[in-house]
Amino acid sequence: MNKIVFYLTYPLIWLISRLPMSILYLISDFFYVLIYYVFGYRKKIILQNISYAFPKKTEEEKQKIAKKFYKHFTDIMIESIKSFSISEKEILKRYTYKNPELVNKFAKEGKSIALVSAHLANWEWSISTPLVLEINLFGAYNKLRNETFEKTLRESREKFGITGATTANFIKLIKSNFENNIQGAYILLSDQSPHIEKTFHWGTFFGVKVPVHTGAEMLAKKNDLVVINYRAKKIKRGYYETDFELITDNPKEYKDYEITDKFLRITERNITEQPEYYLWSHNRFKHKDRYKEWLKLQETKQQTKS
């Protein structure tokens, strides 16, 4: 059944991806009208998230951010489809890199790197990073139920040189690379909400106490990875510029979770600069009232161990 669904839908996706960007953005405009005005896709969650992040903004200002987000959200969907057929020349024209020499400096020194980022602007076109970075690139992806489509999606994301692995197997891949002396840079999107039972640390995100992903920090400390933040900034419709910012080249000198908290501060700053381009449709603050519950869960785990 999965193969039938794939063979019915993929040819259409491929044909759409071959259309000029000007036509694709007309399609995006059509879907924007549908999801914003007709269906109101996750409108309550989106406005609630914006309110948590920017409580001092007026309702009019929050509505304005939300409306711009929807327009950008449909653009991202269309740009993701374009990824299936976009050429090296076109993606480098539309997705430029401001200071790749920062990453390449550490690559030339033989260092492996954690490239941490957030769901800001366009994260999908970061598949082009191997075209400007002088190091093996590895990225994690979520496993799809449709294995045939997953294989095709993975091939699309790997076409410029990234090696992909499922989230469940990503740590195994890193371990294997170190055992075999393979240098690499690992792309880790670390801004979304983890499952509460898998949480090690709660931090503040725009002043709200929430559970946060700590995998990047743990991997960096264990494997002595340089930690670099990369941020895509939207210049205009269909054009982005990515810059890199060093978080630390000596992760072991930091106390537990300081690197994670530093990443959150950088992410807050970048979102504040372009709030309409953050992924507000994800329910980032859904666990904000469960801190005491999490503490009790930790106590139970400790009692079980002892």
Side-chain angles (χ1 to χ4, degrees):
M1 183 64 184
N2 283 342
K3 287 188 177 181
I4 293 174
V5 172
F6 171 78
Y7 288 122
L8 286 175
T9 58
Y10 180 68
L12 177 62
I13 292 172
W14 173 257
L15 288 173
I16 292 173
S17 78
R18 300 290 296 178
L19 294 172
M21 293 302 295
S22 57
I23 303 298
L24 289 176
Y25 285 130
L26 289 177
I27 296 173
S28 176
D29 290 340
F30 170 74
F31 279 105
Y32 159 69
V33 171
L34 283 182
I35 70 167
Y36 182 72
Y37 289 102
V38 180
F39 299 114
Y41 171 73
R42 290 200 166 193
K43 187 171 284 188
K44 182 178 179 181
I45 290 174
I46 290 165
L47 285 170
Q48 187 179 67
N49 285 340
I50 294 170
S51 293
Y52 284 137
F54 304 107
K56 294 182 180 180
K57 288 188 180 296
T58 65
E59 290 305 311
E60 183 180 353
E61 289 172 326
K62 295 171 188 175
Q63 289 284 353
K64 188 175 181 180
I65 291 172
K67 191 172 183 180
K68 287 183 176 180
F69 162 75
Y70 277 100
K71 288 186 72 70
H72 175 69
F73 183 68
T74 54
D75 279 358
I76 284 292
M77 290 192 293
I78 288 298
E79 289 165 3
S80 297
I81 291 174
K82 186 64 178 178
S83 298
F84 283 97
S85 64
I86 195 167
S87 67
E88 179 179 320
K89 181 180 179 181
E90 184 168 14
I91 201 168
L92 285 178
K93 180 181 74 172
R94 292 182 172 274
Y95 202 83
T96 59
Y97 293 86
K98 187 177 180 180
N99 58 335
E101 63 275 4
L102 173 65
V103 181
N104 291 333
K105 169 184 175 292
F106 290 107
K108 290 173 183 177
E109 292 174 0
K111 294 276 192 176
S112 284
I113 301 163
L115 287 174
V116 295
S117 189
H119 290 81
L120 184 63
N122 185 328
W123 56 93
E124 290 289 345
W125 282 357
S126 63
I127 59 173
S128 62
T129 47
L131 301 176
V132 298
L133 299 184
E134 300 166 2
I135 191 171
N136 299 312
L137 268 294
F138 301 90
Y141 64 90
N142 292 321
K143 188 174 179 62
L144 302 179
R145 291 182 181 179
N146 190 319
E147 293 182 3
T148 309
F149 193 80
E150 179 184 302
K151 181 176 181 292
T152 303
L153 183 62
R154 177 174 173 175
E155 289 173 352
S156 174
R157 288 177 171 175
E158 291 184 341
K159 67 181 178 180
F160 296 125
I162 287 179
T163 299
T166 61
T167 304
N169 293 324
F170 202 60
I171 293 177
K172 293 179 182 178
L173 180 145
I174 296 174
K175 182 180 179 182
S176 175
N177 283 349
F178 274 89
E179 288 175 348
N180 292 285
N181 295 315
I182 299 173
Q183 183 191 14
Y186 303 94
I187 298 174
L188 300 161
L189 296 176
S190 305
D191 60 311
Q192 301 298 294
S193 185
H195 295 293
I196 189 170
E197 64 274 9
K198 295 181 180 179
T199 297
F200 291 95
H201 173 60
W202 287 62
T204 58
F205 190 57
F206 286 103
V208 181
K209 199 174 189 68
V210 292
V212 293
H213 282 289
T214 55
E217 176 175 334
M218 291 178 177
L219 289 170
K221 287 185 173 182
K222 182 177 180 179
N223 301 296
D224 195 28
L225 304 178
V226 176
V227 184
I228 295 174
N229 186 81
Y230 76 93
R231 180 269 302 260
K233 183 178 181 180
K234 192 166 188 174
I235 306 303
K236 61 180 181 179
R237 196 177 201 184
Y239 291 86
Y240 304 86
E241 180 183 72
T242 293
D243 56 45
F244 299 96
E245 180 178 348
L246 178 66
I247 293 180
T248 180
D249 59 353
N250 190 2
K252 293 181 180 180
E253 73 178 4
Y254 282 77
K255 294 178 182 178
D256 286 348
Y257 312 124
E258 282 186 343
I259 293 173
T260 299
D261 288 338
K262 188 174 181 180
F263 164 74
L264 289 175
R265 302 293 80 76
I266 291 171
T267 300
E268 288 172 343
R269 183 194 70 206
N270 291 337
I271 292 171
T272 301
E273 187 176 329
Q274 292 190 319
E276 62 270 33
Y277 303 140
Y278 185 60
L279 189 62
W280 297 113
S281 55
H282 179 84
N283 198 354
R284 182 63 184 91
F285 300 97
K286 62 184 174 182
H287 298 311
K288 70 180 185 65
D289 297 320
R290 300 181 67 187
Y291 181 63
K292 290 182 179 179
E293 178 187 340
W294 176 78
L295 286 176
K296 290 181 180 179
L297 184 63
Q298 302 313 299
E299 290 175 4
T300 303
K301 287 181 179 179
Q302 289 298 325
Q303 290 171 0
T304 304
K305 287 180 181 179
S306 58

